[in-house]
Amino acid sequence: MFALPCKTHFTLYCASSLSYEQDVEIKRGWKGGTRLKFDQVDPGFEVIFVVQEGKHDRFVRDGNNLQTTISITKSKARKGCSLFIDPLSDVELPVIVELKPGEVSHDGQVVTVKGRGWPRRKTGDKGDLLVKVNLVSDTKNGWAGRRKGLFQRNRVVNKKPRKQGRS
């Protein structure tokens, strides 16, 4: 997935010992299936590249919206917490979603973050980020054993700081 413009270089080799090199700028917001046509290769030749989207490890694209999933405990959903979601590209700030107490009431509920999705090529604005919240058990066996894998990329923080014990 290309969220920001990037440059790439193509070299085309033909059987007739003709080679053609082209630098191409992949523009922000281009979708899979966008066709790039080059007809200055050689008279009678036309080269067409088709942009193809790859899979991302955390985001799925749905039109101009991006979808991701994060898991939190039922107690965090009940008490409220902050979700820190790493953005699609390194030049963007993390997405911070403040969940109010009781805002997420059932497993699989979707929270929408306006303007943090896929960029629109013509208008320059962005689609939405749809965060699916999975609720997991707080029990020692149900939550602690899966904790490492759930927080590998996204972080969840309690809204209220914990009270420090006496030393």
Side-chain angles (χ1 to χ4, degrees), residues 13-145:
Y13 298 100
C14 297
S16 64
S17 73
L18 170 73
S19 70
Y20 173 71
E21 294 187 19
Q22 178 70 43
D23 288 322
V24 178
E25 183 178 354
I26 306 295
K27 296 191 177 167
R28 179 184 186 111
W30 277 3
K31 298 178 180 179
T34 300
R35 297 166 59 92
L36 306 170
K37 182 171 131 180
F38 303 98
D39 52 5
Q40 301 128 351
V41 178
D42 197 25
F45 282 97
E46 186 176 84
V47 176
I48 298 174
F49 292 103
V50 179
V51 175
Q52 187 176 22
E53 291 180 19
K55 292 193 180 254
H56 195 272
D57 61 340
R58 291 177 293 123
F59 295 102
V60 175
R61 185 169 168 203
D62 180 19
N64 289 320
N65 295 332
L66 291 177
Q67 299 174 351
T68 191
T69 302
I70 191 166
S71 297
I72 63 172
T73 63
K74 291 177 182 176
S75 64
K76 286 189 187 298
R78 199 171 44 256
K79 295 175 185 175
C81 63
S82 298
L83 308 176
F84 291 86
I85 302 170
D86 292 328
L88 186 61
S89 68
D90 293 337
V91 297
E92 294 179 300
L93 294 173
V95 179
I96 301 172
V97 181
E98 297 287 338
L99 293 180
K100 296 177 184 131
E103 183 177 353
V104 176
S105 58
H106 60 276
D107 190 42
Q109 189 170 335
V110 176
V111 177
T112 302
V113 181
K114 297 281 185 193
R116 291 303 299 258
W118 191 256
R120 293 183 175 103
R121 186 176 60 89
K122 293 181 180 176
T123 61
D125 60 341
K126 292 182 174 184
D128 299 332
L129 174 62
L130 308 174
V131 182
K132 180 180 175 185
V133 180
N134 289 334
L135 298 178
V136 294
S137 174
D138 304 80
T139 64
K140 188 174 182 179
N141 293 336
W143 175 246

Side-chain angles (χ1 to χ4, degrees), residues 73 76 142-152 162:
T73 63
K76 286 189 187 298
W143 175 246
R146 293 180 280 186
R147 182 178 229 165
K148 282 187 181 177
L150 294 172
F151 290 124
Q152 201 167 32
R162 293 182 185 171

